[in-house]
Amino acid sequence: MRRGLRVLAVDDVRPALDELCRLLRTSPRVAGTLGAGEALEALRLIQGDRFDAVFLDISMPGLDGIELGSLLARLDSPPAIVFVTAYDDYAVTAYDIGAVDYLLKPVRQERLSAALEKVTRMATTNGRGAGEAEPTPEAMAALPVESAGRTRYVRRGEVCFVSADGDYVRLHTLSGEHVVRMPISRLEEYWQDHGFHRVHRSYLLALAAVRELRSDSTGGLVAHTEVGDVPVSRRHARQLRELLLRHAQRTESGGDGRIR
C-alpha cells in the first residue's frame, strides 16, 4: 500500500517556496516535502533521493524551470513534473516536455489537490513512485495563442483543421488562423483520440468539421470544411472514408462521435 508521495518544490523566491511547501504538506496525498531555492540545489537533491513529483517555478536565475524540467524528463525514471508559475505563456512548452500539470500563482488548494491526484494516478498506473511524465489527454484541450501582447485560448472543438508550418502549427477556425509553436506530430498525439486524424504529412483534420469529400483538378482527394479544403494523401484516403462513416454512424446513433 502506498504511503504517500515524496515531493520536491523548487522556487528561488523564499516566501513563495515556503507557501508551496506548506500547501503540499497539508495534503493527505503527500508523505514528505523538501524545498530547493534554485535549480542546481534541486538537481543535487534529486541525484541523492527519490521523488515522485517535482513542483517547479519557471522564472529562476541561471537554469530556469523549463530547462530543469527538460533535464528531468530525460532521466530513466523521471519524477512527475508540475510547473508552478505566475506566467501563463509557457503552458505549451511545459506540456511539450511532459508536464503533468501547470499551476498559476497564487496556487489554490483545490488546483494543487487536482495536480497531486494526477501525480498519484500516474504513479499508481506505473506501479511505482515515479515514472514517465506524460500529459493527460485533456492537457491540450485548449491551446494558448499569443497575439499583440495578449493570450487567448483556442479550444480543440473550435478547430476545423491544423496545418504544419515548420516548427509551428496553424489552427484553422471560424474566427481565423492561430499560430502555435508545436510540431504537428506532437499535437496529433494529444488530439488523435478526440476526433482528429492525420490525412497528410502537413495536415491534421477534425472529422466533425468535414462537410464532404471532393476530387481536385488533378484527381486527388480533398476534404471540404467551412474554413477551407484539406488535401488528403492517397495512403490516408481509404482510412479517412472509413473513419468518417464510423463518425457519422456514432453521431446518428447518439454517441459522442469520438473515433476509437
Side-chain angles (χ1 to χ4, degrees):
M1 182 176 179
R2 292 185 55 81
R3 297 181 179 179
L5 302 169
R6 286 186 53 77
V7 180
L8 175 64
V10 187
D11 197 316
D12 66 307
V13 178
R14 177 53 62 176
L17 178 61
D18 291 343
E19 175 63 10
L20 179 56
C21 288
R22 184 191 69 78
L23 289 172
L24 287 166
R25 288 169 181 146
T26 62
S27 171
R29 296 183 182 274
V30 176
T33 302
L34 287 180
E38 47 94 19
L40 292 180
E41 180 187 358
L43 282 174
R44 287 194 294 270
L45 290 170
I46 291 167
Q47 289 170 351
D49 203 344
R50 181 190 62 78
F51 294 95
D52 298 299
V54 178
F55 282 65
L56 281 174
D57 183 33
I58 287 181
S59 179
M60 295 188 292
L63 196 68
D64 66 26
I66 292 293
E67 292 168 326
L68 176 57
S70 297
L71 289 176
L72 297 181
R74 298 190 187 105
L75 296 176
D76 290 337
S77 296
I81 300 170
V82 177
F83 285 99
V84 184
T85 177
Y87 307 98
D88 62 3
D89 50 353
Y90 294 97
V92 171
T93 302
Y95 285 124
D96 194 39
I97 67 173
V100 172
D101 210 339
Y102 190 93
L103 309 182
L104 290 177
K105 297 178 180 179
V107 178
R108 304 192 313 273
Q109 185 69 61
E110 58 268 27
R111 278 293 289 118
L112 185 68
S113 297
L116 289 169
E117 182 178 355
K118 292 179 182 179
V119 173
T120 301
R121 187 163 59 244
M122 186 185 74
T124 301
T125 300
N126 290 331
R128 52 178 298 175
E132 187 175 355
E134 286 294 331
T136 65
E138 289 306 304
M140 291 293 180
L143 296 179
V145 175
E146 302 295 326
S147 178
R150 296 184 178 183
T151 302
R152 65 159 294 188
Y153 287 84
V154 177
R155 295 188 299 275
R156 185 173 54 221
E158 299 176 54
V159 180
C160 294
F161 66 91
V162 181
S163 59
D165 188 3
D167 292 333
Y168 294 79
V169 291
R170 291 184 179 273
L171 310 177
H172 298 258
T173 74
L174 291 174
S175 63
E177 297 181 10
H178 309 281
V179 179
V180 175
R181 185 180 179 86
M182 176 184 294
I184 194 169
S185 58
R186 188 66 169 169
L187 187 59
E188 180 186 10
E189 293 177 16
Y190 299 127
W191 285 9
Q192 63 186 351
D193 292 331
H194 297 274
F196 282 77
H197 181 66
R198 190 74 165 266
V199 296
H200 185 281
R201 62 179 299 187
S202 300
Y203 289 89
L204 189 62
L205 176 66
L207 300 175
V210 178
R211 295 296 172 258
E212 62 180 4
L213 297 179
R214 299 173 175 172
S215 295
D216 62 17
S217 58
T218 63
L221 188 69
V222 297
H224 175 65
T225 76
E226 291 186 51
V227 297
D229 290 342
V230 179
V232 180
S233 67
R234 291 184 183 277
R235 73 186 188 93
H236 288 107
R238 180 176 178 180
Q239 186 181 19
L240 176 60
R241 287 190 173 95
E242 294 174 351
L243 287 170
L244 287 171
L245 177 60
R246 289 165 53 193
H247 177 75
Q249 289 172 338
R250 287 190 59 82
T251 305
E252 183 67 24
S253 64
D256 60 9
R258 182 175 296 182
I259 302 300
R260 293 181 173 86

